[in-house]
Amino acid sequence: MECITQRGIGKVVFHWGAQLGKTEALLNAIGYFIDAQPSPMLIVYPTLDTARKFSQKKLAQMIHETACLTNKVKDPRTRDSGNTILSKDFPGGSMVIAGSNSPSSLRQISCRVVIQDEIDTYELSAGAEGDPCFLADARSANFHDAVLIKSSTPTIRGASRIETAYEKSDQRKWYVPCPECGE
């Protein structure tokens, strides 16, 4: 979270194994940008189906269970709430949740924050429009303080998008002390 919120750091790469907390870290980042730095956001998942599942099962639960967010993102059952499965409005910002396989959802929006999850499972091209990671990143081009977050469990060495993104980064590592010995 420190890198995500630190001035001057515009790109963060989560190159992590499966089931180790990546989604929770992304949810924390989303919650932070709703509450502390309201911004237009684009959240990209491999498909529209996985985007919907994330929104309904993970994001909705976090918003519902976090008091400071519940008051900012209206109940989806309220008429004209600005809260649908793939789009959420909140004071000072908004969020579009998209599938990397849907080129139309990666166009026509400008977003300060772009979060892409499980990028190693994205198709090579969003339809005939090119690399979905590039298309999503381009949504932030108008923001001098853009925040780009890429996350994935690595797949095939040498063909992994997250491996490539990590190799282009400063390759910081996150260490947690052992609860037994403290190392």
Side-chain angles (χ1 to χ4, degrees):
M1 281 303 292
E2 289 176 6
C3 286
I4 292 169
T5 61
Q6 188 174 341
R7 284 183 181 240
I9 296 180
K11 294 181 183 178
V12 177
V13 176
F14 292 134
H15 180 268
W16 270 350
Q19 299 297 311
L20 294 175
K22 288 185 310 295
T23 301
E24 288 304 315
L26 297 178
L27 285 166
N28 281 301
I30 292 167
Y32 172 81
F33 286 109
I34 292 172
D35 186 48
Q37 285 189 28
S39 304
M41 289 188 270
L42 173 63
I43 316 299
V44 184
Y45 272 83
T47 65
L48 281 172
D49 186 50
T50 54
R52 282 187 194 95
K53 286 178 185 173
F54 166 78
S55 179
Q56 292 173 310
K57 297 190 184 299
K58 304 278 184 165
L59 182 61
Q61 181 179 353
M62 179 197 68
I63 291 168
H64 176 73
E65 294 177 357
T66 308
C68 64
L69 302 181
T70 301
N71 297 325
K72 292 184 178 178
V73 181
K74 293 181 184 172
D75 189 310
R77 295 171 291 197
T78 306
R79 184 176 216 170
D80 300 324
S81 69
N83 181 354
T84 67
I85 292 172
L86 297 177
S87 178
K88 304 198 180 300
D89 294 334
F90 47 89
S94 62
M95 179 185 330
V96 171
I97 306 159
S100 71
N101 63 335
S102 173
S104 63
S105 62
L106 300 176
R107 273 191 262 128
Q108 299 179 346
I109 55 173
S110 293
C111 296
R112 177 176 168 245
V113 178
V114 177
I115 298 174
Q116 299 173 60
D117 195 15
E118 294 303 345
I119 65 172
D120 271 15
T121 62
Y122 291 9
E123 294 293 327
L124 294 177
S125 182
E129 301 202 19
D131 183 353
C133 290
F134 176 79
L135 294 173
D137 288 348
R139 303 293 94 218
S140 68
N142 292 333
F143 292 87
H144 73 280
D145 58 348
V147 177
L148 305 175
I149 303 170
K150 292 185 184 343
S151 172
S152 193
T153 301
T155 54
I156 301 167
R157 187 176 297 257
S160 167
R161 278 188 169 109
I162 199 69
E163 177 184 52
T164 300
Y166 180 72
E167 287 173 356
K168 290 179 180 177
S169 75
D170 63 8
Q171 300 182 14
R172 293 182 196 186
K173 292 183 172 41
W174 180 51
Y175 293 100
V176 178
C178 171
E180 298 293 320
C181 69
E183 186 176 328

